[in-house]
């Protein structure tokens, strides 16, 4: 069974640009979560999608957005990039079983560098 | 607000030594789950264990063992007879159980960098 796939693996952008990152979850997983990892702030939750609906959101500005498609694939978008947006962006998928806390399966991430 | 503290930023050991990674958590919820993840240089977080707040039994899986103590709000992780392949960053994480699901949100500690030397 294929794991969580994130593309691209590396990305370099300049301030003010926008970027879109892609995530394909494990087959059969309907929940996709996004995390930002930086040396200073560590791992921080961005948002979670289930059946094309955002169910949960972290404390990030509106420049960070996401969506999920009917096949459970997800994209996240960052507009008007700032230097501080440089980070490893990790996507995770889960079965979102009812009645319990999901075990998250993570991808290898997209390393975004903003110059 | 919930919080996870991993006080050990870096640990360096020689192969075959035992090593314990500490994790202390804070939450107001009575129902919660604790996790450990491993992050090798490739970047992906690898799931190691999930434990709910009602199950205080220690767990052993091969060379790995976990000690959960609600009285001290700790969930420590021990690697016995460490190997070079154990070198990675290890994260402890907490998920609250309100509503029966956390909707993908985990609160992570800052991580402990473990280096095992041959």
């Amino acid at each position: 069974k294929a794991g969580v796939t994130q593309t691209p693996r590396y990305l370099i952008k300049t301030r003010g640009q926008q970027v879109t990152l892609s995530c394909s979850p494990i087959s059969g997983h309907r929940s996709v979560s996004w995390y930002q990892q930086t040396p200073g702030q560590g791992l921080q939750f961005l948002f979670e999608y289930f059946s094309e609906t955002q169910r949960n959101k972290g404390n990030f500005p509106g420049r960070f957005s996401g969506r999920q498609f009917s096949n459970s694939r997800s994209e996240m978008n960052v507009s008007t990039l700032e230097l501080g947006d440089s980070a490893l962006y990790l996507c995770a998928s889960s079965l979102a079983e009812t009645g319990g806390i999901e075990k998250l399966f993570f991808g290898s991430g997209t390393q975004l560098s903003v110059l | 607000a919930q919080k996870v503290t991993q006080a050990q930023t870096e640990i360096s050991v020689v192969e075959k030594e035992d090593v314990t990674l500490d994790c202390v958590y804070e939450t107001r919820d009575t129902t919660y789950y604790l996790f450990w993840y491993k992050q090798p240089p490739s970047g992906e977080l690898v799931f190691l264990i999930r434990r709910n707040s009602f199950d205080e039994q220690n767990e052993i899986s091969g060379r790995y063992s976990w000690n959960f103590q609600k009285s001290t709000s700790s969930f420590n992780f021990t690697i016995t007879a460490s190997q070079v392949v154990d070198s990675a960053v290890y994260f402890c994480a907490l998920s609250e159980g309100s509503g029966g699901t956390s909707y993908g949100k985990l609160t992570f500690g800052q991580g402990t960098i473990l280096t095992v030397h041959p």
Side-chain angles (χ1 to χ4, degrees):
Chain A
K1 208 174 193 180
V4 178
T5 305
Q6 291 188 247
T7 56
R9 185 70 176 94
Y10 300 95
L11 207 48
I12 299 175
K13 292 287 187 179
T14 56
R15 276 183 301 173
Q17 287 186 310
Q18 75 165 17
V19 66
T20 299
L21 312 181
S22 180
C23 172
S24 293
I26 292 171
S27 178
H29 285 192
R30 298 166 64 192
S31 168
V32 174
S33 305
W34 289 89
Y35 284 80
Q36 181 196 65
Q37 185 177 20
T38 60
Q41 299 299 314
L43 280 153
Q44 293 185 289
F45 172 77
L46 281 157
F47 29 65
E48 186 257 7
Y49 287 86
F50 180 83
S51 291
E52 302 178 64
T53 300
Q54 186 182 88
R55 295 194 301 185
N56 202 0
K57 189 176 187 303
N59 296 322
F60 278 83
R63 301 185 297 106
F64 292 82
S65 63
R67 60 177 176 169
Q68 187 181 35
F69 302 95
S70 58
N71 61 358
S72 295
R73 191 177 70 84
S74 177
E75 289 181 347
M76 69 162 282
N77 185 77
V78 187
S79 62
T80 318
L81 283 166
E82 300 177 0
L83 294 178
D85 297 333
S86 295
L88 179 66
Y89 290 88
L90 291 163
C91 167
S93 74
S94 74
L95 285 169
E97 302 152 350
T98 57
I101 302 298
E102 310 93 60
K103 181 167 61 176
L104 302 183
F105 295 85
F106 285 83
S108 296
T110 293
Q111 183 66 55
L112 172 64
S113 298
V114 182
L115 307 179
Chain B
Q2 54 185 359
K3 184 179 177 182
V4 176
T5 302
Q6 295 179 253
Q8 304 150 309
T9 304
E10 290 191 56
I11 299 177
S12 181
V13 299
V14 176
E15 210 169 19
K16 297 184 183 177
E17 283 187 33
D18 298 347
V19 57
T20 295
L21 310 181
D22 298 333
C23 172
V24 174
Y25 62 92
E26 296 176 29
T27 180
R28 293 181 182 178
D29 232 18
T30 55
T31 303
Y32 52 89
Y33 285 71
L34 294 161
F35 297 77
W36 275 94
Y37 280 88
K38 171 182 179 180
Q39 187 175 40
S42 54
E44 83 278 17
L45 288 163
V46 178
F47 169 84
L48 295 177
I49 189 172
R50 173 182 59 181
R51 175 55 53 84
N52 72 53
S53 53
F54 297 106
D55 183 3
E56 284 196 71
Q57 282 190 342
N58 292 333
E59 182 156 339
I60 299 174
S61 176
R63 297 185 295 107
Y64 296 168
S65 62
W66 291 269
N67 180 251
F68 176 31
Q69 292 193 337
K70 285 181 75 171
S71 60
T72 56
S73 296
S74 65
F75 186 44
N76 297 336
F77 172 34
T78 297
I79 301 174
T80 303
S82 60
Q83 299 176 0
V84 172
V85 293
D86 295 327
S87 297
V89 185
Y90 289 86
F91 291 93
C92 180
L94 169 67
S95 178
E96 290 182 346
S98 58
T101 181
S102 63
Y103 299 116
K105 182 177 181 180
L106 296 178
T107 299
F108 284 87
Q110 287 297 310
T112 297
I113 302 171
L114 174 65
T115 304
V116 181
H117 299 281

